[in-house]
Amino acid sequence: PFAIKDGKAFGPGVLDMKGGVTILLHTVRLLIEAGYQRHPLKIILAGDEETGHAHSDAAKDYLAESRGALMGFNMETGFMDNGIVVERKGVYQCRFDVRGMGAHAGNNPEDGRSAVRELCRKVLDLESLTDFKEGTTVNVGTFSGGTVANAVPEEAHCVVDVRFRSASALERIKKEFRTITEKV
């Protein structure tokens, strides 16, 4: 739960969301106190938090509201060492679905083809695409498959999160993803 201890705030959203709003409010106050009037200010606050609002159309609103703007700032907080964040990595997320052949694990397992086993192989290949030097990470964040313990799983899926610094890195990842999906 949210709490303030020794002058510091703790709890959900304190760093990204509430911290960013605090920075914004102090920045605007300082600009007003300094008599800033050179360009108009437009402030957009949204409660969307990353992937928690999958059906949000806030990005469309951001683009519409920013037309003609001189510049824009994301007011997220910096790092604990007081460093300033000057860039964010790109994000690419996708879901991999694997279909096998279900069978009873005790009576006829040889007739089955485990979707979970196949997806496990693919997960190892996917995550091996991480290149820390390039600044690209591939993370399988969720994995699900099968229905009951005594059945060879017919279906499995995972959701993958990719962070990248360049368009060429993303293209490399997409190409490798295609190769992995086509591999049987």
Side-chain angles (χ1 to χ4, degrees):
F2 178 79
I4 297 178
K5 296 176 189 166
D6 299 324
K8 293 183 181 179
F10 296 87
V14 169
L15 184 63
D16 287 348
M17 303 298 281
K18 293 174 185 78
V21 172
T22 301
I23 292 169
L24 170 69
L25 294 174
H26 283 287
T27 301
V28 171
R29 181 180 54 88
L30 291 170
L31 286 171
I32 290 169
E33 287 175 4
Y36 179 82
Q37 294 182 357
R38 186 168 178 191
H39 299 284
L41 301 176
K42 182 183 279 189
I43 298 168
I44 303 170
L45 297 174
D48 293 9
E49 174 58 19
E50 302 195 14
T51 59
H53 291 82
H55 303 292
S56 170
D57 61 354
K60 182 176 66 176
D61 294 333
Y62 294 152
L63 291 173
E65 291 294 329
S66 67
R67 281 194 189 92
L70 180 64
M71 64 186 75
F73 297 97
N74 175 335
M75 301 303 288
E76 282 196 38
T77 54
F79 296 114
M80 295 303 290
D81 66 357
N82 291 325
I84 296 174
V85 177
V86 295
E87 69 177 349
R88 294 279 189 220
K89 288 183 178 180
V91 178
Y92 177 75
Q93 293 181 341
C94 59
R95 176 177 161 142
F96 284 80
D97 290 281
V98 173
R99 187 154 183 88
M101 185 176 298
H104 191 279
N107 295 335
N108 62 329
E110 66 279 2
D111 294 334
R113 299 294 177 265
S114 173
V116 167
R117 182 173 47 224
E118 180 60 25
L119 188 55
C120 284
R121 290 182 178 124
K122 292 188 182 308
V123 164
L124 294 173
D125 290 343
L126 292 167
E127 289 198 343
S128 74
L129 299 174
T130 290
D131 184 337
F132 292 116
K133 187 175 180 181
E134 179 185 67
T136 304
T137 55
V138 179
N139 179 65
V140 175
T142 64
F143 185 110
S144 181
T147 54
V148 294
N150 64 338
V152 175
E154 185 175 351
E155 295 180 1
H157 74 270
C158 68
V159 179
V160 181
D161 178 274
V162 178
R163 303 295 167 121
F164 58 93
R165 283 205 172 107
S166 68
S168 62
L170 177 60
E171 288 310 309
R172 174 184 72 82
I173 292 294
K174 286 181 174 181
K175 181 180 175 190
E176 293 292 341
F177 278 10
R178 282 188 288 277
T179 300
I180 291 168
T181 58
E182 293 168 0
K183 184 178 170 184
V184 263

